[in-house]
Amino acid sequence: MSRQPRPISVCDLSLSYSRHPAVRHLCCHFAPGSLTAVVGPNGAGKSTLLKALAGLLPPRGGRIDLGGQSVRDLAYLPQQAAIDRSFPITVQDMVSLGHWPRVGAWGALGRAQWQAVQAALAALDLADFGARPISALSVGQFQRVQFARLLLQDAPVILLDEPTSALDPELVGDVLAVMKQLAQEGVTMVVVTHEMGFARQVAD
């Protein structure tokens, strides 16, 4: 699809998580094609902000303006702890779910779509993992599978919560290269991270 991202604005936003105030009166702006790193100590409200941008958490006050886009136009990668890996599904089937917004729950994938699945796996160094069940993966491998699925959503806005937290250092470069390529294509990205070195490398 042709991506036409528009600005996202947050105005006087306040959020609570588990009834506790997490974000107070936040104002910020995410320009089209920008790559923003959200950093701060544990409990600062970083993940809570991402959930609100993804439409999973209603504001207590203020507003989020997605620039005319719907939450369905956003791709969201939550933290590992938020994902159940017991479902009996293979790696390639999991990645193919990235096509779901366009083909629906029961739509069949064509040859080009399956080729896109294989290309996404290869981009994350997972070409030989397609037939494995997701339950057999390490935490870092599963993190890359989730990232590959997200690539196929072809979303104009991507929200990432600690995308490199479980990755070996040599694999962080693969994720970084993919993220920079997406930014060059005009995708707007917001990345929560506690790794300042990664933030300096990836964020503009």
Side-chain angles (χ1 to χ4, degrees), residues 20-44:
H20 298 288
V23 173
R24 295 183 177 90
H25 307 295
L26 175 69
C27 295
C28 56
H29 178 81
F30 304 102
S34 62
L35 207 167
T36 304
V38 181
V39 299
N42 290 337

Side-chain angles (χ1 to χ4, degrees), residues 68-86:
Q69 299 168 119
S70 163
V71 293
R72 294 173 62 89
D73 297 320
L74 279 61
Y76 171 54
L77 180 68
Q79 289 189 39
Q80 282 281 336
I83 302 171
D84 179 10
R85 288 206 282 149
S86 63

Side-chain angles (χ1 to χ4, degrees), residues 14 17 20 25-26 44 49 58 81 83 112 131 144 147 154 172 194-195:
S14 293
Y17 190 72
H20 298 288
H25 307 295
L26 175 69
L49 173 61
I83 302 171
R144 284 182 285 146
F147 201 93
D154 199 28
V172 172
H194 68 277
E195 300 172 11

